[in-house]
Amino acid sequence: MPSALITGITGQDGLYLSELLLAKGYEVYGLIRGQNNPKYELVRELVPDVKLLTGDLTDFSSLIRALEVAKPDEVYNLGAISFVAYSWENALVTSDVTGKGVLNMIEAVRLYAGDDLNQVKFYQASSSEMFGKVQEVPQRESTLLWPRSPYGVAKVFGHYMTINYRESYGMHASSGILFNHESPRRGPEFVTRKVSQAVARISLGLQEDITLGNLDAKRDWGFAGDYVDAMWRMLQQPEGDDYVVATGETHSIRELLDIAFAHVGIEDWGHLVKQDPRFMRPAEVDLLIGDPTKAQEKLGWTRQVDFPTLVTMMVENDLAEQRALNGR
Ligand code: NDP
Ligand code: GDR
């Protein structure tokens, strides 16, 4: 039975990836931080077969200990401070976790694996946010990186460290440059879930309006369940490599609002959406659109869920959740 260690187990991707690996017959270990993590029960409930180990990406010895218990064939480094807006106000801790945390994890893997470095395959969760002020449209593996946030800069560090460990030590280390991916499990601080929750609550009479930032930003949004499959496929290749994972389509926040509101029968949402500079970013990434050709050709990966289906899935989930919470 193959074994995998996942950091970021309590996050959106950690949960989908554990379900995928458990279904494939893996023994799955998840790294969980903190002395009383509020998401512990959620993980226990959704993926009870995952074995949880205590550790933190900023605590090197905890990573070594986790590797010695899990004895993994595959390590998926998904743990990060992942909210871009937060990273301006918390740039140092973002650098420590999202940047240096990658070095801690991959160095721990190198030391743990010893002479047989290829016995442990490593996946790094890199991000389209590294493209930032885009130098090419669509963005591909070779596009020049120009990050626009402390988060993006930290991810660039982790990306190049992963490549460096592959080139320096011959490790099976892959960097997945994933574009935005969403789901009903997305944190409510991210714009898709913020919108799906608000639209559900507005249609049920529980909320009057929603306050957002830049409505003209464009993202290449896919479904998280499809994207964790690409992570797994990368580690099944004969060698580590870098792959862009994206849909190849881009949509604005306005289009997101159009589809979400239309699903609850509201065609004209202008009076329901307010804007506040609080939600604007010091430097914005205006247009992200990825070219997933390499992932399609080399990994045989394709996305299954399109944008309208994703948005309606999220609104439906929030309608059910809000009805249950509020007895409607
Ligand atoms: P989430 O924000 O949902 O999850 C982040 C995870 O990281 C949580 O489990 C969190 O744990 C954990 N974490 C935070 N700090 C630490 C730490 N110091 N030590 C160990 N773990 C820590 O992110 P997603 O699931 O959406 O994303 C997974 C990864 O993919 C992240 O690295 C993200 O940056 C990257 N990514 C995500 C994309 C997306 O669109 N979702 C696109 C491209 C990249 P806790 O619950 O304890 O806070
Ligand atoms: P992003 O996701 O920054 O792309 O990072 P987010 O959903 O936070 O923002 C997407 C775009 O929406 C605009 N926006 C708002 N965003 C939020 N959160 N709240 C608002 O009210 C709002 N109004 C407009 C933003 O300005 C932005 O342009 C996500 C994370 O998962 C990262 O970890 C990951 O690396 C990238 O996706 C790819």
Side-chain angles (χ1 to χ4, degrees):
M1 186 193 271
S3 167
L5 173 64
I6 302 174
T7 71
I9 194 79
T10 57
Q12 171 188 258
D13 291 7
L15 293 170
Y16 281 108
L17 180 64
S18 344
E19 285 173 344
L20 179 94
L21 297 180
L22 288 168
K24 288 184 186 296
Y26 279 67
E27 190 165 24
V28 180
Y29 291 84
L31 193 81
I32 189 160
R33 70 181 171 130
Q35 61 187 50
N36 184 18
N37 193 307
K39 299 226 183 111
Y40 181 89
E41 290 308 327
L42 178 78
V43 179
R44 284 268 64 89
E45 188 192 325
L46 292 176
V47 279
D49 292 335
V50 168
K51 299 178 177 69
L52 290 173
L53 303 171
T54 307
D56 193 298
L57 285 167
T58 60
D59 184 335
F60 184 73
S61 63
S62 75
L63 305 178
I64 293 277
R65 269 200 306 278
L67 288 164
E68 282 169 352
V69 175
K71 300 187 175 32
D73 303 292
E74 298 173 7
V75 171
Y76 295 86
N77 187 38
L78 311 186
I81 288 179
S82 77
F83 187 36
V84 175
Y86 175 92
S87 74
W88 274 279
E89 283 156 15
N90 300 272
L92 294 176
V93 72
T94 303
S95 304
D96 282 347
V97 178
T98 305
K100 208 172 133 208
V102 183
L103 176 56
N104 284 339
M105 192 70 244
I106 200 166
E107 174 67 0
V109 169
R110 186 179 77 84
L111 293 179
Y112 164 75
D115 292 339
D116 190 5
L117 274 174
N118 268 318
Q119 71 172 309
V120 188
K121 298 174 187 162
F122 181 82
Y123 173 85
Q124 168 55 20
S126 293
S127 163
S128 53
E129 193 68 15
M130 301 190 305
F131 295 122
K133 188 174 173 186
V134 300
Q135 300 296 299
E136 186 180 20
V137 179
Q139 296 87 51
R140 47 180 70 92
E141 292 78 8
S142 56
T143 302
L144 180 71
L145 304 179
W146 195 307
R148 296 267 281 171
S149 61
Y151 167 86
V153 173
K155 281 287 179 190
V156 170
F157 175 84
H159 173 67
Y160 281 127
M161 208 44 96
T162 303
I163 294 172
N164 184 257
Y165 269 57
R166 185 169 74 223
E167 293 179 353
S168 303
Y169 304 112
M171 281 175 74
H172 193 300
S174 291
S175 176
I177 308 172
L178 270 53
F179 281 61
N180 296 55
H181 45 278
E182 319 293 313
S183 74
R185 290 177 182 163
R186 189 59 143 150
E189 65 274 36
F190 299 97
V191 75
T192 52
R193 186 78 196 285
K194 185 173 170 182
V195 166
S196 67
Q197 264 185 351
V199 165
R201 289 175 56 82
I202 290 169
S203 83
L204 295 172
L206 296 165
Q207 184 173 326
E208 288 191 352
D209 49 36
I210 175 174
T211 306
L212 295 170
N214 178 7
L215 304 187
D216 296 312
K218 290 185 155 184
R219 289 290 183 276
D220 178 332
W221 277 298
F223 171 53
D226 289 343
Y227 284 42
V228 296
D229 174 53
M231 298 176 187
W232 175 77
R233 285 171 186 259
M234 286 177 214
L235 298 204
Q236 312 318 306
Q237 301 307 304
E239 290 176 347
D241 204 342
D242 311 318
Y243 299 90
V244 161
V245 180
T247 70
E249 281 175 25
T250 191
H251 300 276
S252 65
I253 312 292
R254 287 180 198 281
E255 287 172 79
L256 165 67
L257 289 162
D258 282 342
I259 298 173
F261 275 114
H263 190 65
V264 296
I266 300 172
E267 298 301 331
D268 177 12
W269 47 259
H271 60 297
L272 300 172
V273 177
K274 311 240 174 323
Q275 278 183 282
D276 191 316
R278 204 156 43 102
F279 297 112
M280 304 283 185
R281 297 183 176 178
E284 179 62 283
V285 171
D286 293 319
L287 168 67
L288 286 176
I289 176 164
D291 176 358
T293 305
K294 181 174 171 185
Q296 286 166 346
E297 289 179 355
K298 287 202 159 179
L299 304 178
W301 177 82
T302 45
R303 66 100 187 252
Q304 305 296 319
V305 176
D306 66 15
F307 182 60
T309 310
L310 172 66
V311 177
T312 52
M313 176 206 297
M314 292 178 71
V315 174
E316 277 299 316
N317 168 77
D318 279 318
L319 282 168
E321 203 172 284
Q322 291 298 325
R323 282 193 188 108
L325 278 174
N326 296 285
R328 306 238 167 167

Tab-separated table of all heavy atoms in Angstrom, residues 64-95:
chain	number	residue	atom	x	y	z
A	64	ILE	N	10.530	16.393	10.234
A	64	ILE	CA	11.336	15.153	10.248
A	64	ILE	C	10.572	14.052	10.988
A	64	ILE	O	10.466	12.919	10.511
A	64	ILE	CB	12.706	15.411	10.939
A	64	ILE	CG1	13.561	16.372	10.097
A	64	ILE	CG2	13.422	14.114	11.256
A	64	ILE	CD1	14.334	15.722	8.971
A	65	ARG	N	9.990	14.420	12.129
A	65	ARG	CA	9.241	13.415	12.912
A	65	ARG	C	8.069	12.863	12.108
A	65	ARG	O	7.818	11.669	12.081
A	65	ARG	CB	8.725	14.025	14.213
A	65	ARG	CG	9.680	13.879	15.388
A	65	ARG	CD	8.944	14.042	16.730
A	65	ARG	NE	8.196	15.299	16.795
A	65	ARG	CZ	8.746	16.465	17.099
A	65	ARG	NH1	10.038	16.540	17.371
A	65	ARG	NH2	8.030	17.566	17.135
A	66	ALA	N	7.355	13.760	11.427
A	66	ALA	CA	6.197	13.316	10.624
A	66	ALA	C	6.641	12.357	9.518
A	66	ALA	O	5.983	11.336	9.263
A	66	ALA	CB	5.481	14.525	10.025
A	67	LEU	N	7.779	12.653	8.889
A	67	LEU	CA	8.272	11.767	7.821
A	67	LEU	C	8.644	10.395	8.387
A	67	LEU	O	8.368	9.364	7.768
A	67	LEU	CB	9.491	12.405	7.141
A	67	LEU	CG	9.188	13.609	6.240
A	67	LEU	CD1	10.464	14.395	5.928
A	67	LEU	CD2	8.507	13.170	4.946
A	68	GLU	N	9.242	10.399	9.576
A	68	GLU	CA	9.659	9.111	10.161
A	68	GLU	C	8.459	8.242	10.521
A	68	GLU	O	8.515	7.027	10.409
A	68	GLU	CB	10.550	9.355	11.391
A	68	GLU	CG	11.969	9.721	10.954
A	68	GLU	CD	12.856	10.237	12.078
A	68	GLU	OE1	12.342	10.472	13.191
A	68	GLU	OE2	14.058	10.420	11.811
A	69	VAL	N	7.343	8.862	10.894
A	69	VAL	CA	6.143	8.073	11.211
A	69	VAL	C	5.436	7.637	9.923
A	69	VAL	O	5.090	6.471	9.749
A	69	VAL	CB	5.161	8.877	12.098
A	69	VAL	CG1	3.871	8.095	12.323
A	69	VAL	CG2	5.811	9.229	13.425
A	70	ALA	N	5.260	8.572	8.994
A	70	ALA	CA	4.455	8.278	7.790
A	70	ALA	C	5.214	7.398	6.788
A	70	ALA	O	4.603	6.689	5.995
A	70	ALA	CB	4.037	9.589	7.119
A	71	LYS	N	6.540	7.483	6.784
A	71	LYS	CA	7.352	6.760	5.787
A	71	LYS	C	6.727	6.887	4.388
A	71	LYS	O	6.414	5.882	3.734
A	71	LYS	CB	7.488	5.280	6.159
A	71	LYS	CG	8.164	5.081	7.514
A	71	LYS	CD	8.430	3.623	7.787
A	71	LYS	CE	9.212	3.380	9.058
A	71	LYS	NZ	9.031	4.304	10.168
A	72	PRO	N	6.541	8.115	3.915
A	72	PRO	CA	5.757	8.304	2.692
A	72	PRO	C	6.523	7.983	1.411
A	72	PRO	O	7.733	8.174	1.343
A	72	PRO	CB	5.442	9.809	2.734
A	72	PRO	CG	6.598	10.405	3.458
A	72	PRO	CD	7.040	9.372	4.466
A	73	ASP	N	5.777	7.517	0.432
A	73	ASP	CA	6.309	7.426	-0.936
A	73	ASP	C	6.127	8.765	-1.639
A	73	ASP	O	6.835	9.084	-2.581
A	73	ASP	CB	5.540	6.351	-1.725
A	73	ASP	CG	5.619	5.006	-1.024
A	73	ASP	OD1	6.719	4.439	-0.989
A	73	ASP	OD2	4.585	4.560	-0.467
A	74	GLU	N	5.108	9.524	-1.205
A	74	GLU	CA	4.795	10.800	-1.851
A	74	GLU	C	4.516	11.850	-0.777
A	74	GLU	O	3.803	11.564	0.194
A	74	GLU	CB	3.558	10.645	-2.760
A	74	GLU	CG	3.807	9.638	-3.877
A	74	GLU	CD	2.550	9.312	-4.707
A	74	GLU	OE1	1.508	9.967	-4.509
A	74	GLU	OE2	2.650	8.390	-5.528
A	75	VAL	N	5.068	13.038	-0.961
A	75	VAL	CA	4.791	14.159	-0.054
A	75	VAL	C	4.149	15.268	-0.864
A	75	VAL	O	4.697	15.697	-1.901
A	75	VAL	CB	6.090	14.684	0.608
A	75	VAL	CG1	5.817	15.977	1.381
A	75	VAL	CG2	6.685	13.629	1.527
A	76	TYR	N	2.979	15.721	-0.428
A	76	TYR	CA	2.274	16.821	-1.094
A	76	TYR	C	2.334	18.026	-0.167
A	76	TYR	O	1.697	18.020	0.895
A	76	TYR	CB	0.820	16.437	-1.366
A	76	TYR	CG	0.669	15.296	-2.355
A	76	TYR	CD1	0.710	13.966	-1.939
A	76	TYR	CD2	0.499	15.561	-3.719
A	76	TYR	CE1	0.570	12.926	-2.848
A	76	TYR	CE2	0.362	14.517	-4.634
A	76	TYR	CZ	0.394	13.206	-4.192
A	76	TYR	OH	0.258	12.170	-5.087
A	77	ASN	N	3.088	19.048	-0.568
A	77	ASN	CA	3.245	20.223	0.300
A	77	ASN	C	2.208	21.286	-0.054
A	77	ASN	O	2.459	22.189	-0.867
A	77	ASN	CB	4.656	20.797	0.195
A	77	ASN	CG	4.858	21.901	1.213
A	77	ASN	OD1	4.356	21.809	2.345
A	77	ASN	ND2	5.545	22.950	0.830
A	78	LEU	N	1.032	21.169	0.563
A	78	LEU	CA	-0.077	22.102	0.290
A	78	LEU	C	-0.201	23.168	1.367
A	78	LEU	O	-0.944	24.133	1.201
A	78	LEU	CB	-1.409	21.335	0.207
A	78	LEU	CG	-1.452	20.086	-0.678
A	78	LEU	CD1	-2.873	19.551	-0.742
A	78	LEU	CD2	-0.952	20.390	-2.075
A	79	GLY	N	0.487	23.015	2.468
A	79	GLY	CA	0.354	23.967	3.573
A	79	GLY	C	0.901	25.329	3.183
A	79	GLY	O	1.956	25.429	2.557
A	80	ALA	N	0.178	26.379	3.537
A	80	ALA	CA	0.622	27.749	3.235
A	80	ALA	C	-0.320	28.731	3.895
A	80	ALA	O	-1.467	28.402	4.199
A	80	ALA	CB	0.600	28.007	1.724
A	81	ILE	N	0.178	29.946	4.097
A	81	ILE	CA	-0.743	31.065	4.299
A	81	ILE	C	-1.150	31.430	2.892
A	81	ILE	O	-0.317	31.847	2.078
A	81	ILE	CB	-0.045	32.201	5.049
A	81	ILE	CG1	0.155	31.753	6.492
A	81	ILE	CG2	-0.849	33.489	4.953
A	81	ILE	CD1	0.842	32.735	7.375
A	82	SER	N	-2.418	31.245	2.550
A	82	SER	CA	-2.800	31.234	1.135
A	82	SER	C	-3.666	32.411	0.708
A	82	SER	O	-4.020	32.520	-0.463
A	82	SER	CB	-3.532	29.927	0.820
A	82	SER	OG	-4.860	29.990	1.295
A	83	PHE	N	-4.021	33.286	1.654
A	83	PHE	CA	-4.913	34.404	1.293
A	83	PHE	C	-4.059	35.609	0.889
A	83	PHE	O	-3.365	36.204	1.716
A	83	PHE	CB	-5.833	34.734	2.470
A	83	PHE	CG	-6.897	35.736	2.158
A	83	PHE	CD1	-7.519	35.769	0.914
A	83	PHE	CD2	-7.304	36.652	3.109
A	83	PHE	CE1	-8.507	36.695	0.627
A	83	PHE	CE2	-8.297	37.584	2.837
A	83	PHE	CZ	-8.896	37.605	1.590
A	84	VAL	N	-4.117	35.935	-0.387
A	84	VAL	CA	-3.234	36.960	-0.970
A	84	VAL	C	-3.399	38.298	-0.248
A	84	VAL	O	-2.410	38.951	0.115
A	84	VAL	CB	-3.518	37.093	-2.481
A	84	VAL	CG1	-2.698	38.228	-3.081
A	84	VAL	CG2	-3.234	35.777	-3.193
A	85	ALA	N	-4.643	38.721	-0.017
A	85	ALA	CA	-4.888	40.035	0.596
A	85	ALA	C	-4.219	40.132	1.974
A	85	ALA	O	-3.659	41.168	2.340
A	85	ALA	CB	-6.392	40.267	0.709
A	86	TYR	N	-4.247	39.041	2.716
A	86	TYR	CA	-3.672	38.992	4.068
A	86	TYR	C	-2.149	39.159	4.020
A	86	TYR	O	-1.527	39.624	4.962
A	86	TYR	CB	-4.075	37.642	4.672
A	86	TYR	CG	-3.535	37.255	6.013
A	86	TYR	CD1	-4.232	37.554	7.177
A	86	TYR	CD2	-2.350	36.531	6.120
A	86	TYR	CE1	-3.754	37.157	8.418
A	86	TYR	CE2	-1.862	36.123	7.354
A	86	TYR	CZ	-2.568	36.447	8.499
A	86	TYR	OH	-2.092	36.042	9.725
A	87	SER	N	-1.556	38.773	2.901
A	87	SER	CA	-0.094	38.696	2.861
A	87	SER	C	0.577	40.072	2.900
A	87	SER	O	1.729	40.173	3.298
A	87	SER	CB	0.383	37.879	1.654
A	87	SER	OG	0.244	38.588	0.448
A	88	TRP	N	-0.128	41.156	2.513
A	88	TRP	CA	0.489	42.492	2.616
A	88	TRP	C	0.642	42.898	4.082
A	88	TRP	O	1.623	43.504	4.445
A	88	TRP	CB	-0.363	43.536	1.886
A	88	TRP	CG	-0.035	43.621	0.429
A	88	TRP	CD1	1.003	44.293	-0.155
A	88	TRP	CD2	-0.752	43.020	-0.652
A	88	TRP	NE1	0.973	44.135	-1.517
A	88	TRP	CE2	-0.097	43.366	-1.848
A	88	TRP	CE3	-1.895	42.212	-0.714
A	88	TRP	CZ2	-0.544	42.943	-3.098
A	88	TRP	CZ3	-2.337	41.793	-1.959
A	88	TRP	CH2	-1.666	42.160	-3.133
A	89	GLU	N	-0.359	42.555	4.879
A	89	GLU	CA	-0.316	42.955	6.290
A	89	GLU	C	0.495	41.996	7.144
A	89	GLU	O	0.799	42.288	8.298
A	89	GLU	CB	-1.743	43.050	6.850
A	89	GLU	CG	-2.441	44.321	6.390
A	89	GLU	CD	-3.949	44.194	6.422
A	89	GLU	OE1	-4.453	43.251	7.052
A	89	GLU	OE2	-4.608	45.047	5.792
A	90	ASN	N	0.831	40.842	6.584
A	90	ASN	CA	1.536	39.809	7.342
A	90	ASN	C	2.640	39.217	6.460
A	90	ASN	O	2.747	38.003	6.291
A	90	ASN	CB	0.550	38.723	7.783
A	90	ASN	CG	-0.555	39.287	8.664
A	90	ASN	OD1	-0.405	39.367	9.872
A	90	ASN	ND2	-1.640	39.733	8.057
A	91	ALA	N	3.458	40.119	5.911
A	91	ALA	CA	4.434	39.692	4.902
A	91	ALA	C	5.513	38.776	5.490
A	91	ALA	O	5.962	37.834	4.829
A	91	ALA	CB	5.085	40.913	4.262
A	92	LEU	N	5.906	39.027	6.734
A	92	LEU	CA	6.998	38.225	7.298
A	92	LEU	C	6.544	36.798	7.581
A	92	LEU	O	7.224	35.834	7.224
A	92	LEU	CB	7.536	38.887	8.574
A	92	LEU	CG	8.216	40.243	8.328
A	92	LEU	CD1	8.623	40.885	9.641
A	92	LEU	CD2	9.431	40.088	7.433
A	93	VAL	N	5.371	36.673	8.198
A	93	VAL	CA	4.907	35.306	8.505
A	93	VAL	C	4.548	34.579	7.204
A	93	VAL	O	4.763	33.366	7.068
A	93	VAL	CB	3.760	35.307	9.549
A	93	VAL	CG1	2.466	35.824	8.999
A	93	VAL	CG2	3.531	33.903	10.109
A	94	THR	N	4.056	35.321	6.219
A	94	THR	CA	3.766	34.687	4.919
A	94	THR	C	5.062	34.164	4.300
A	94	THR	O	5.107	33.048	3.755
A	94	THR	CB	3.077	35.685	3.966
A	94	THR	OG1	1.888	36.172	4.590
A	94	THR	CG2	2.720	35.029	2.639
A	95	SER	N	6.132	34.958	4.399
A	95	SER	CA	7.416	34.496	3.850
A	95	SER	C	7.909	33.262	4.600
A	95	SER	O	8.422	32.310	3.994
A	95	SER	CB	8.477	35.595	3.968
A	95	SER	OG	8.022	36.747	3.339
